[in-house]
Amino acid sequence: MNSLKTELKYLFGSMKFEEKNAGEIHIEAGEDDFLRIIPALAEKKCILIDLFAVENFDSTKNIFLLYVFEKRGCSEVLILQRKVSMKTSSIATTFPSACWYEREITDGFGIEFTGAFDTRRLFLHEIYPQDFHPLRKSLVNKPMKMQESIPQTEEYKFKEMRGEGVYQIPVGPVHAGIIEPGHFRFSVIGETIFNLEVRMFWKHRGIEKLAENKKPQEVIALAEAISGDETIANSLAYCVAVEKICSVKIPPRALYLRTLFAEMERIYALLGDLAGMIIDVAYPAGASPLFILREEMLRWNERVSGSRFFKNALQIGGVKADVGNETLEELIQYLRAFSIRLKQAADQAVRFTSVFDRLEMAGVVKKELVDSLNLSGPLARASGAAADVRIDHPYGLYFKIAPHNFVLEQGDVLARFRVKVATIINSINIIQKIIREMPQGEITAAYTLKNGLALSLVESARGQNVHFVYIQKGAISRYKVRTASFCNWQAIEHAVLGNIIPDFPLINKSMNLSYAGTDM
Amino acid sequence: MASAIGNVWKSTVTEEFKFRDEEFEQLGIKLKRDIDSIFGRSLAIREVDTGSDNSPEIELVNLTTPYYDVERFGITFVASPRHADVLIVTGPVTWNMATALRKTYDATPSQKLVIALGDDACDGGLFKGSYAVLGGVDKAIPVDVKIPGNPPAPKEILKGLLALMKKIRERDS
């Protein structure tokens, strides 16, 4: 692994920089330095992985924007701190993935970005009043009354596509299946998709604001609720961030159990994706064996943690309850046949040309998009990028037990199907190793709460989740979460182009992004 | 052709799984009896998510997979509220989804039965007091039965449906 510090040192000159929490390089950049560094970072192929605002960041009441970058091959992350007034310049033309973040900051804090190519509202839909900015400290969180009728001028403007034979298909937010709400606006010529615009945030529940002023221990339940099938990924990321701030070293057995839970979650979540893809090409008989495997995993989840979705399994400093060694032994016995059953089920499912034909060449995500939109997880690995937080920014046990990177180049639905199968099989191998090496001993460590901030990155089933925790006076002052889905959603707008409308559900399922995890 | 005939005599190639959960089966049979007599053999459910964490959706989909397969008991999930006997709503009602939920409710034929599924849907749960939600489902539309849980397991969902049947019987008698 290269060092980000040495790679970029020439850029920083005399600027003050500080290394925190092993692997976070914090730099306070003045406006001139900032404007100079941004194009240089783009040139160096750094990837913008998060961007958010924090109020009361220093001893004054200033608002800072934090720009988080990574570079492939470097395990550290770079955090640029930029002090801003209520109006500042956009970086979306240099880093296209900044677009959603900047719109999010405008909604949350009221900061205006000059030079941005899209300034529409993001998570606050028309029903919210115009001058409402919930993440400002001055706003007290309480139930609100919203405007009864929405003036036409405030209605959301979708991109308009014109031309002979072009028509629009609006879909959602309430869909036909048992699925979360989102709106898809297709512009279509005949059956071919000419443009797609996704509109999300229907499920915006105000998680970040709810976390404010809470005791760190109380926020775990909120982290779990970010996305039900990423319960462990998010509660783990949150706990790790708090543990970094408080310098807690968790006991070895707790570390092993946490990793076990995380890998079990990955398995059941990805099995759902595989089965869903096969269902969406109308082959339920092929999907059934995959659904059976998933249900069996959900039952194992319950046996080891007391919850089918690992709710309430973690706590700061360790895990809530120990798992008996006999249970672990039984699990390893059960998993012995799992890989073979999975391979058989997956091979059977795509064996027929009528299935294969639907999956191959559908919804291609080009490799060029991976870095510019910060795509991650199986989606990125199916498009030729070896992206996996467990390898790129190892945490917990992954320093010792690293997963195997399985990368395909094609970027189509079939590649995503295969990468997901390989990811599950890899997780099974990791679990077998974990259980064999599982140490005895304590499952929690005591800790004293400290003030400070930390960033934590984890690999969820969908990819890279980034959690930022800022504790002041023993309570959460800012909690910012960016799940993999937030970035990966933007890939679907590109992936469907030139495909036909009936392939959209399949392409969507092959990515299986979380709406809740995006909307927060 | 020869292989097709051969298949008839060949022993089965599929594995056998031990699926049967007696308690679930009993709940299902009871529910089927109720559905037969009250709804004329089929109960059509439309699901609406107004802000859940997506685990209730996973459990609802699970009801249609091989382990549970509730279509045996006359339960179907339909694609439109216009075809639905029952709406199952998950999640606290967010302001962004409030209008969509009301429109879905309006599109449902009477008697517009509504089930709130999950702790958040029952009373707002974790999200009580947030600027972004109205609270439980009953803050937006009338609710007949609440199924608590984070999320409720398939068995609990079946018990909730039984409670709905009981409520309809009591109301109609």
Side-chain angles (χ1 to χ4, degrees), chain A residues 113-398:
Chain A
F113 288 90
T114 54
F117 54 81
D118 189 350
T119 52
R120 291 173 297 175
R121 294 168 103 188
L122 193 74
F123 69 84
L124 300 179
H125 285 190
E126 305 89 305
I127 196 163
Y128 287 92
Q130 280 289 348
D131 51 356
F132 177 70
H133 301 295
L135 292 173
R136 292 301 305 263
K137 289 281 177 202
S138 52
L139 188 115
V140 180
N141 200 11
K142 58 170 194 285
M144 301 245 312
K145 274 267 157 273
M146 294 296 164
Q147 43 188 5
E148 288 288 320
S149 66
I150 295 142
Q152 212 167 12
T153 49
E154 283 181 29
E155 268 179 30
Y156 192 80
K157 286 195 178 56
F158 287 94
K159 211 195 280 176
E160 239 178 278
M161 292 288 154
R162 285 178 195 205
E164 202 182 316
V166 180
Y167 63 101
Q168 292 202 336
I169 307 179
V171 181
V174 179
H175 297 283
I178 303 172
I179 183 175
E180 302 176 73
H183 182 90
F184 304 106
R185 186 65 64 97
F186 296 96
S187 297
V188 185
I189 305 172
E191 267 201 298
T192 308
I193 302 167
F194 181 53
N195 187 58
L196 164 66
E197 212 178 330
V198 299
R199 191 181 189 204
M200 306 293 299
F201 304 96
W202 301 89
K203 299 177 78 168
H204 177 67
R205 297 155 286 171
I207 288 181
E208 289 173 16
K209 186 75 181 179
L210 274 171
E212 280 182 19
N213 304 323
K214 283 207 163 72
K215 293 262 167 287
Q217 188 68 35
E218 298 167 354
V219 176
I220 297 177
L222 280 175
E224 288 176 349
I226 290 166
S227 183
D229 50 3
E230 292 174 29
T231 298
I232 283 293
N234 286 318
S235 57
L236 177 65
Y238 172 76
C239 287
V240 168
V242 176
E243 285 154 9
K244 277 185 187 176
I245 295 170
C246 306
S247 329
V248 191
K249 200 174 172 312
I250 72 161
R253 190 173 174 86
L255 195 62
Y256 273 75
L257 286 174
R258 280 180 171 189
T259 318
L260 171 72
F261 295 169
E263 295 304 325
M264 287 175 77
E265 179 174 82
R266 198 180 319 281
I267 293 174
Y268 91 77
L270 292 178
L271 277 169
D273 299 7
L274 298 180
M277 281 186 238
I278 303 303
I279 283 278
D280 278 0
V281 295
Y283 182 36
S288 290
L290 295 162
F291 273 131
I292 288 168
L293 290 173
R294 181 177 72 164
E295 175 63 22
E296 289 175 7
M297 280 313 290
L298 285 170
R299 291 179 184 198
W300 271 107
N301 295 352
E302 191 172 12
R303 275 196 68 187
V304 302
S305 78
S307 158
R308 284 160 66 86
F309 294 87
F310 290 111
K311 299 275 182 192
N312 206 10
L314 302 191
Q315 60 180 350
I316 296 164
V319 296
K320 273 266 165 69
D322 204 349
V323 184
N325 285 332
E326 309 79 56
T327 312
L328 293 175
E329 200 44 53
E330 269 180 64
L331 176 59
I332 221 170
Q333 295 287 351
Y334 165 78
L335 287 176
R336 206 155 278 163
F338 197 93
S339 298
I340 300 162
R341 289 170 68 198
L342 171 65
K343 273 185 208 151
Q344 260 174 4
D347 288 348
Q348 286 288 328
V350 294
R351 201 179 53 149
F352 297 102
T353 39
S354 53
V355 175
F356 191 86
D357 196 41
R358 290 286 304 277
L359 269 56
E360 199 189 22
M361 294 303 288
V364 175
V365 174
K366 294 199 181 93
K367 194 181 177 181
E368 299 94 270
L369 288 174
V370 173
D371 287 359
S372 54
L373 294 179
N374 185 31
L375 309 180
S376 60
L379 176 66
R381 295 199 288 278
S383 292
D388 189 324
V389 181
R390 294 173 292 173
I391 299 168
D392 302 337
H393 310 279
Y395 52 97
L397 204 56
Y398 299 115

Side-chain angles (χ1 to χ4, degrees), chain A residues 491-503:
Chain A
I492 203 168
E493 293 183 345
H494 300 270
V496 298
L497 299 182
N499 286 262
I500 56 171
I501 286 276
D503 274 345

Side-chain angles (χ1 to χ4, degrees), chain B residues 147-170:
Chain B
I147 309 177
N150 181 23
K155 248 184 250 179
E156 306 302 318
I157 300 175
L158 241 56
K159 283 180 194 161
L161 286 171
L162 274 169
L164 178 72
M165 299 298 147
K166 191 167 168 235
K167 199 176 164 187
I168 298 168
R169 268 187 204 289
E170 281 168 5

